[in-house]
Structure formats: C-alpha cells, structure tokens
Amino acid sequence: MTYLRFLMLLALAVWLGALIFFPVVAQTSFTVLPSPHLAGLVVRNSLIALHWMGFASGIVFLACSLIYNRLALGRFRVAALSHGLVIVMLALTAISQFRIIPRMDTLRMSAGEISALPAGSPITTEFNSLHVWSTRIEGAVLIIGLLVLYSVARRFSSSNA
C-alpha cells in the first residue's frame, strides 16, 4: 500500500510541479528568444507537453487511488472528493488542449505573427482572449491540484494515526 501512496503523491507532484514551473519557461522564452513568435511556439509546445504529463498523472492518480481505497477500505470509493477534483482537472486540461490551443494555432496560421498585427485587430483580440482563458484554466488546475494534494496528505496522515 505504501507503493500506491507513493505513486499517487508522485503523480500529483509531477503534475503540480510542471504547472508551477511552466510560467518560468514561458517568461524565459519571451525574455531570451529573438522574437515573440518563436517564444510563443516554445510556450505552445511546452504547454502541450505539460498537458500530456497531466493526462498521464491524472490517470495514474485515479487508478492508484481506486486500488488503494479497495485494499484499505474494501471498496473503490469512486465518488471520493479527490477523484471528482482530479476529473475536473483532467476536463479543464482537455479543454485547453483540444479547444483553446487548436483555435490559437488556427489564428497563428491565418495571421502569421500575432505580435505584428495591430493591437485592435479582431485576430489579436480573439488570440488575447484565448490566452486569458488558457491562463485561467491552468491556474484553476493548479489550485484544484493543491486542494487534492492537501486532501490526500490529510487522508494519509489520519490513516497512519
């Protein structure tokens, strides 16, 4: 059972660590790279990698948590709060990955370099709006993930007492 706890905490640590480190990568990209377009591509590709890490981490967490519950409690506890929160995290990640990023890609392809467009252009406005939503979603996933981590840590500490 210690192994299952370890995998659950590792899955959360990987996902949350990536979410915390991602803004550093984004800021560094825009500071170091020669153009906003190149920096945007690095950020885009990093975000896609982050999302796939999140999908894998979420699945590992859910599988290990269900098995842990079955072994420790004699039932899977499918409707546990931590499971619901991880499913919300996965859903938000999927929205960003499969809705927001493809729409931003379409805008980039149709307009070329977004930063070269006038500030008030419809493409720039839509791109900026999508960027705001992407940022909100990643922030929400991080906050929810921290709640899950706290919940799991609390559950494990009370099961040891």
Side-chain angles (χ1 to χ4, degrees), residues 2-161:
T2 301
Y3 185 69
L4 291 170
R5 288 180 182 186
F6 168 75
L7 287 176
M8 290 168 60
L9 292 173
L10 178 62
L12 289 175
V14 166
W15 197 352
L16 295 176
L19 283 164
I20 291 168
F21 189 66
F22 176 73
V24 175
V25 171
Q27 180 61 39
T28 303
S29 297
F30 281 96
T31 303
V32 172
L33 293 173
S35 76
H37 182 73
L38 288 176
L41 292 176
V42 168
V43 169
R44 173 201 177 275
N45 291 342
S46 298
L47 188 57
I48 289 170
L50 169 92
H51 288 161
W52 287 110
M53 289 169 64
F55 291 137
S57 294
I59 290 166
V60 166
F61 175 86
L62 289 172
C64 290
S65 183
L66 289 168
I67 294 167
Y68 177 83
N69 288 338
R70 177 72 170 117
L71 294 174
L73 306 171
R75 55 189 162 84
F76 286 109
R77 285 191 60 213
V78 175
L81 177 63
S82 62
H83 299 163
L85 292 174
V86 169
I87 289 169
V88 169
M89 291 170 66
L90 288 167
L92 289 171
T93 300
I95 289 168
S96 181
Q97 178 74 20
F98 301 116
R99 297 290 238 181
I100 294 176
I101 289 176
R103 183 65 191 137
M104 291 174 89
D105 287 346
T106 300
L107 292 172
R108 270 193 206 99
M109 290 184 71
S110 69
E113 197 164 329
I114 299 291
S115 62
L117 297 173
S121 79
I123 291 175
T124 302
T125 302
E126 184 177 356
F127 187 88
N128 290 341
S129 174
L130 290 167
H131 180 266
V132 167
W133 276 106
S134 175
T135 302
R136 287 177 182 162
I137 286 173
E138 299 307 323
V141 171
L142 175 60
I143 290 168
I144 295 167
L146 291 171
L147 291 172
V148 172
L149 181 60
Y150 176 79
S151 168
V152 169
R154 186 168 175 212
R155 182 174 81 189
F156 288 163
S157 70
S158 67
S159 68
N160 285 335

